[in-house]
Amino acid sequence: MSIRLGVNIDHVATIRNARGGEHPDPVRAARQASEAGADGITAHLREDRRHITDTDIDRLMAEIDLPLNLEMAATPEMLDIALRHKPHAVCLVPEKREERTTEGGLDVAAGHNVIAPYVRQLGEAGCRVSLFIEPDPVQIAVAEAMGAAVVELHTGAYCEAFLAGDTAKVEHHLKRLQAASTIAHERGLEVHAGHGLTYDTVKPIAAIPEVIELNIGHFLIGEAIFRGLREAVGTMRGLIEEARAGQDS
């Protein structure tokens, strides 16, 4: 199967909001990502609007040709926004006000009764619903039971182990991701992955045959400071394709 790259532009908005005004423009970043080979744009509209804003979502829907993957918490406010815009995809994620970034997967097993109505309503509106979960068979089974079309597997623990230089943990977490991808695929779920991926960590994930989309943001925006966004995205696109070609050969 082919593999797609979704580029998360949240942290372009983070830089803009640090000073206020309109620069740098996340919509401009989305255009450059598209020119560099991105297959989709991801944006997380947080309840506290710490980076992406409602106006950004309005503009992304109106001005960008690529599919928009709207990341959001399962709250009535966010549901109303998603149903109004009807983006191509909606990824339900956990969200805590005090966290710097998403700290783990959504516990869909514990939150089944709360989350299931969101999955149903978004699906009925024509959105492709994704659940951002840990690579755990129970979470995958509940995601399927809810009727989600997609699971996005949280790669954060794998990436953190790599940064710590813990080879054993890297292998452990990679095996979990591989096994979870197989299970999800066998259950008829589309498999995505993301969180914390870099040039150094992306290839083993891209080589997992069942994974057909990677969503990457913070690293690419940081790398763009040094080499420009088009080159940063293009390099990531090349590494993903190399990994996939090696897996297919």
Side-chain angles (χ1 to χ4, degrees):
M1 291 181 287
S2 61
I3 186 167
R4 301 187 297 264
L5 171 61
V7 174
N8 187 315
I9 57 167
D10 288 354
H11 294 296
V12 177
T14 300
I15 297 170
R16 175 196 63 195
N17 296 352
R19 185 165 179 171
E22 299 180 354
H23 181 79
D25 179 11
V27 177
R28 181 182 177 189
R31 292 194 192 99
Q32 290 199 0
S34 175
E35 292 165 3
D39 300 292
I41 299 299
T42 293
H44 183 177
L45 184 64
R46 282 182 171 266
E47 291 181 90
D48 62 9
R49 308 306 198 267
R50 68 176 63 171
H51 35 60
I52 293 295
T53 66
D54 302 66
T55 299
D56 293 329
I57 299 298
D58 293 341
R59 291 184 59 214
L60 288 166
M61 289 295 299
E63 300 177 31
I64 300 300
D65 293 332
L66 290 180
L68 176 64
N69 175 35
L70 174 62
E71 292 184 341
M72 60 174 245
T75 68
E77 179 196 19
M78 291 300 149
L79 179 63
D80 288 344
I81 292 169
L83 293 178
R84 184 168 69 249
H85 286 292
K86 296 183 176 64
H88 168 75
V90 174
C91 184
L92 297 177
V93 301
E95 187 174 310
K96 294 186 292 187
R97 290 291 180 91
E98 65 273 16
E99 68 187 1
R100 291 186 179 181
T101 185
T102 304
E103 294 176 347
L106 187 65
D107 189 347
V108 295
H112 177 274
N113 292 340
V114 173
I115 298 165
Y118 287 85
V119 175
R120 177 181 55 78
Q121 291 180 73
L122 290 164
E124 289 174 351
C127 301
R128 193 160 177 77
V129 183
S130 173
L131 299 175
F132 183 72
I133 62 172
E134 293 297 324
D136 177 78
V138 173
Q139 300 294 334
I140 292 167
V142 175
E144 180 198 12
M146 282 185 185
V150 181
V151 289
E152 180 166 340
L153 302 179
H154 179 229
T155 57
Y158 156 74
C159 293
E160 288 170 7
F162 182 90
L163 287 173
D166 192 328
T167 305
K169 281 190 176 180
V170 168
E171 189 64 23
H172 167 73
H173 290 301
L174 184 58
K175 286 180 177 178
R176 285 187 71 213
L177 288 160
Q178 290 166 336
S181 298
T182 299
I183 292 168
H185 178 71
E186 289 174 348
R187 286 182 172 271
L189 295 163
E190 186 172 298
V191 184
H192 300 178
H195 197 81
L197 294 171
T198 68
Y199 293 151
D200 293 324
T201 57
V202 72
K203 292 182 80 171
I205 305 301
I208 299 172
E210 296 87 359
V211 174
I212 66 170
E213 182 172 306
L214 299 176
N215 286 297
I216 305 173
H218 182 267
F219 174 80
L220 289 175
I221 302 310
E223 195 68 12
I225 295 171
F226 304 103
R227 58 167 69 191
L229 187 57
R230 288 189 184 90
E231 185 178 338
V233 173
T235 298
M236 185 65 79
R237 173 85 265 175
L239 290 170
I240 291 169
E241 290 177 354
E242 284 177 18
R244 202 51 154 223
Q247 181 271 325
D248 291 338
S249 61

